[in-house]
């Protein structure tokens, strides 16, 4: 996989190129009828070049990390599983924007570690999932001196719960909630240490109800909503965007055309045209998408 990034400064030029080539192997081992394990390993060749406006290479980085994956699963009954997992991965490092004092500084890749324990149960008329997790990733942010840095760890600790229930043969409800505690740790800057990670809400709540009429089984209508709590705009937590809630309306129709399975979908996102702000980049905010009508078709060959 190769990724090119273009500078948006006064001159348009290729700012950097990142290339990743990986080999992954995994195996599932069945110890008993209930106990099994998944073990995997990924070898990645990571190469990153940064260029100046003339096209000359100003900075190079290369690494060949080996990252493991491990999961242990135990079936408590034919429908339910308790599991624990550990995953390491590699992601592209950050780069200063043309608004930072140290532009165009670029940093190497970040390694992340994810720990998770959970429970899953799936029955004919209901299902439920519960997971407790912690994710540690390298942190890149703009500090109070407007310098983009890559320092310390961003830690996400959370609980994710979801479920669904068939009320009748025609009506089905589903929903989920995620609580997320985020914290910057091992940071040299005391104004950042211990603060919330920017762009991460504490709570996200989703809900959805579906109607699949008995007289027209290919058709499914749905109404759903999502609540997202406030989010920090910057690493020092001096600015926040407020919480918001949105609702969507959609429909799905399954049919056949020329003997092929076809699914037609249409819907309205942000049904009530809620205006809100979003953030993700550590001091940028953007306005919400307005009410949007969407439609698409999927053909199975």
């Amino acid at each position: 996989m190769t990724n090119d990034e273009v500078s948006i400064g006064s001159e348009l030029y290729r700012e950097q190129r990142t290339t990743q080539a990986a080999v992954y192997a995994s195996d599932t081992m069945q110890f008993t009828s209930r106990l099994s394990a998944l073990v995997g390993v990924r070898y990645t060749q990571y190469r990153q070049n940064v260029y100046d406006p003339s096209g000359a290479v100003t900075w190079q980085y290369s690494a060949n990390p080996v990252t493991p994956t491990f999961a242990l699963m135990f079936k408590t009954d034919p429908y339910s599983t308790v599991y624990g997992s550990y995953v390491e991965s590699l992601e592209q490092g950050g780069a200063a924007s043309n608004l930072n004092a140290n532009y165009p500084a670029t940093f190497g890749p970040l390694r992340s570690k994810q720990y998770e324990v959970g429970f899953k149960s799936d029955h004919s008329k209901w299902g439920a999932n519960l997971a407790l997790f912690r994710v540690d990733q390298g942190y890149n942010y703009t500090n109070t001196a407007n310098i983009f840095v890559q320092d310390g760890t961003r830690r996400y600790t959370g609980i994710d719960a979801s479920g669904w229930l068939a009320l009748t043969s025609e009506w089905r409800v589903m929903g989920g909630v995620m609580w997320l505690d985020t914290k910057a740790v091992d940071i040299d800057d005391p104004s950042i240490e211990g603060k919330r990670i920017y762009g991460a809400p504490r709570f996200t709540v989703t809900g959805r109800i579906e109607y699949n009429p008995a007289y027209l089984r290919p058709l499914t209508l749905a109404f759903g909503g999502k609540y997202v709590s406030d989010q920090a705009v910057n690493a020092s937590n001096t600015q926040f965007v407020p919480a918001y809630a949105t609702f969507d309306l959609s429909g799905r129709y399954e049919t056949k055309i020329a003997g092929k399975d076809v699914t037609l979908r249409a819907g309205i996102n942000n049904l009530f045209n809620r205006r809100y702000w979003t953030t993700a980049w550590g001091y940028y905010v953007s306005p919400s998408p307005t009410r949007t009508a969407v439609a698409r078709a999927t053909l199975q060959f």
Side-chain angles (χ1 to χ4, degrees), residues 13 15 25 32 87 95 103 106 112 134 165 179 183 188 198 219 236 247 249 258 263 294 299:
Y13 69 96
E15 184 181 40
T32 70
V87 179
Y103 174 79
T106 303
S112 69
R134 193 182 90 180
L165 173 66
W179 170 80
K183 185 180 296 186
D188 293 333
Y198 62 82
L219 176 67
S236 57
F247 297 90
L249 186 65
T263 302
V294 295
L299 173 65

Side-chain angles (χ1 to χ4, degrees), residues 127-200:
N129 301 285
L130 177 65
L132 288 77
F133 61 88
R134 193 182 90 180
V135 180
D136 288 341
Q137 296 175 313
Y139 197 18
N140 44 42
Y141 59 90
T142 297
N143 65 19
T144 53
N146 194 33
I147 297 175
F148 186 85
V149 298
Q150 193 159 287
D151 171 42
T153 301
R154 48 182 170 173
R155 175 166 294 165
Y156 302 85
T157 305
I159 300 174
D160 189 7
S162 62
W164 64 272
L165 173 66
L167 299 175
T168 70
S169 62
E170 296 183 323
W171 292 92
R172 174 168 142 157
V173 295
M174 59 198 71
V177 58
M178 183 171 67
W179 170 80
L180 196 60
D181 177 58
T182 65
K183 185 180 296 186
V185 297
D186 300 326
I187 305 293
D188 293 333
D189 188 340
S191 68
I192 309 298
E193 174 70 21
K195 296 295 179 65
R196 286 173 58 181
I197 304 302
Y198 62 82

Side-chain angles (χ1 to χ4, degrees), residues 29-137:
M29 296 174 286
Q30 195 75 39
F31 301 118
T32 70
S33 60
R34 292 190 174 190
L35 183 64
S36 62
L38 184 149
V39 178
V41 63
R42 180 185 296 271
Y43 170 76
T44 304
Q45 287 188 337
Y46 185 97
R47 304 291 183 268
Q48 185 175 4
N49 289 342
V50 179
Y51 306 90
D52 64 16
S54 70
V57 176
T58 59
W59 185 85
Q60 288 183 310
Y61 183 91
S62 63
N64 303 290
V66 176
T67 52
T69 298
F70 176 77
L72 188 65
M73 298 158 285
F74 180 76
K75 294 188 71 66
T76 58
D77 60 56
Y79 313 99
S80 308
T81 303
V82 175
Y83 67 91
S85 66
Y86 172 76
V87 179
E88 288 187 13
S89 62
L90 197 71
E91 63 181 59
Q92 185 173 338
S97 77
N98 59 349
L99 300 179
N100 290 122
N102 60 332
Y103 174 79
T106 303
F107 298 89
L110 301 169
R111 186 185 291 263
S112 69
K113 299 179 179 180
Q114 178 174 328
Y115 313 81
E116 183 173 327
V117 293
F119 173 78
K120 297 182 178 181
S121 189
D122 195 14
H123 300 254
S124 61
K125 293 187 177 181
W126 67 274
N129 301 285
L130 177 65
L132 288 77
F133 61 88
R134 193 182 90 180
V135 180
D136 288 341
Q137 296 175 313

